[in-house]
Amino acid sequence: MKINKLYYFGGFAICVSSALVSHTKLPIPPALLIWGITVLLFLFLYLSDFGSSRMPKYGLIVLPFAFFLMFTQPFTGASVKNYVGPIISTLFFPLVVYFLSYLNRNQIIRIVKYLLIISTIVLTFETLYRYVFPNFDVQDISEGRGTDDVFYMFKSSSLMYNDSNATGIHILLVLFFTYYWSEFVNEKYALIKIVLWLLLILTISRAAWIGAIVGLIYFKLLRGKPILFWIFLGSLLFLFCLIVFFAYLLPLMETDPSFMARIEVFESAFKYYKSGPNIIDQLNGIGVYMSQVYFDIYLHNFYIVQAVEMGFISLALLFIMWGQFIYYTKSKALIILVPYSIVILSSTLSFIPVFYIVFGIICICENKLKNTV
């Protein structure tokens, strides 16, 4: 019984305490400290005589990606502080899988309930802080970046994240995990869903809005549909996107600073590869956050950042890892990956523990708890 409490403590700590409190004004993120404590607990339990020291095989699927970054990023010129984030964030996943694999259904349900409640509270404070203490001067933005839209007053840094797109990513992850969880346990979680939708709207993150709409369409309409339906729907979406592009986005590209920055990002990446960087930089990357040094602009697109800063090999390993998430969760991972893959077109985060935490929980649910009562 006492040993089971240690596993429960480890599962609670790695899932709940470190899910959202990942970026603060403190020099070391609290999530990183909690991760270190749970690693020590994991080593103690795994190397001791307690239990069978089992680690489900799907708990190791993040290791190729993590090890690749571990053995290549130190040679890129990136600082340890920069590249440790994407490495450690992936290593939340095996810890979640390990600790939860020893717990019963009721214990896991209790942990997830706390995860959803605490995450919603933290995200509420994070979102509302921007409205109480807006950082940007509207007049400065108007004169310096060519827009008089007060919209940018509320997209600046807050308690944890530098811009509202980062907050939007976290809200999106928790929101669609809530959709998955409510279906899994057959409970509505209506209040949490409503609050998270309101918070998502308040981020004023257009990428998060689009990702949420696409994710909701997938969750409600597209799961399990035949391939012909996907082709038909894809054609309709393509036509819709063309209309939106020429009627709305094209004019914005000449006036809106956010869209102008996106164009500059693609131009910078295109010029970089056109210049013929050496093969090592292409395969291993130039280093996490080093794109700001090379391009005088942060690339602000997850896929481009992954390819440029961490290399094409890491991008391939990332997609393989996502594919394994889909396989081991019996496609339930798509509930989160579909909206997430959209929103990161306009933003990027190198340290995002909650992404790997929720996938660890889903893997456990679909492989350990699915047939239990």
Side-chain angles (χ1 to χ4, degrees), residues 129-150:
Y129 185 90
R130 284 193 173 86
Y131 286 85
V132 178
F133 304 105
N135 285 343
F136 280 0
D137 187 317
V138 180
Q139 185 66 28
D140 288 345
I141 296 174
S142 177
E143 294 176 354
R145 302 186 69 180
T147 179
D148 56 3
D149 198 343
V150 296

Side-chain angles (χ1 to χ4, degrees), residues 130-299:
R130 284 193 173 86
Y131 286 85
V132 178
F133 304 105
N135 285 343
F136 280 0
D137 187 317
V138 180
Q139 185 66 28
D140 288 345
I141 296 174
S142 177
E143 294 176 354
R145 302 186 69 180
T147 179
D148 56 3
D149 198 343
V150 296
F151 163 101
Y152 285 97
M153 283 183 66
F154 309 109
K155 288 182 66 65
S156 58
S157 62
S158 187
L159 291 171
M160 292 195 294
Y161 307 111
N162 289 330
D163 66 73
S164 63
N165 285 337
T167 308
I169 289 176
H170 283 81
I171 295 173
L172 204 70
L173 289 170
V174 177
L175 173 62
F176 281 92
F177 176 67
T178 305
Y179 274 105
Y180 164 80
W181 186 252
S182 64
E183 184 178 80
F184 183 78
V185 297
N186 197 25
E187 295 182 22
K188 293 186 180 298
Y189 284 90
L191 180 59
I192 288 179
K193 290 177 184 175
I194 291 170
V195 171
L196 290 172
W197 274 108
L198 290 174
L199 294 179
L200 195 68
I201 293 170
L202 290 174
T203 62
I204 323 180
S205 171
R206 289 165 290 194
W209 294 347
I210 294 170
I213 292 171
V214 173
L216 194 61
I217 291 173
Y218 171 78
F219 183 80
K220 296 292 186 181
L221 302 176
L222 301 184
R223 287 189 298 161
K225 300 297 182 181
I227 187 65
L228 289 178
F229 181 77
W230 278 88
I231 295 173
F232 173 72
L233 186 68
S235 301
L236 291 179
L237 287 175
F238 179 71
L239 180 62
F240 172 76
C241 289
L242 283 179
I243 295 172
V244 171
F245 176 79
F246 286 106
Y248 173 67
L249 300 184
L250 192 59
L252 279 178
M253 288 181 179
E254 299 177 355
T255 59
D256 186 272
S258 179
F259 279 90
M260 293 168 66
R262 300 300 180 274
I263 295 174
E264 188 176 354
V265 163
F266 282 101
E267 288 178 346
S268 297
F270 177 75
K271 290 177 181 177
Y272 169 70
Y273 285 112
K274 189 177 179 181
S275 68
N278 68 66
I279 189 66
I280 298 299
D281 285 347
Q282 292 186 52
L283 295 178
N284 296 344
I286 60 176
V288 177
Y289 287 115
M290 292 297 288
S291 60
Q292 290 175 298
V293 177
Y294 279 71
F295 305 116
D296 294 324
I297 182 176
Y298 192 60
L299 296 179

Side-chain angles (χ1 to χ4, degrees), residues 61-71 86-88 90-91 317 321:
I61 60 180
V62 301
L63 295 187
F65 177 76
F67 284 154
F68 176 78
L69 296 183
M70 195 179 300
F71 291 115
I87 295 173
I88 289 183
T90 61
L91 298 179
L317 291 173
M321 180 174 65

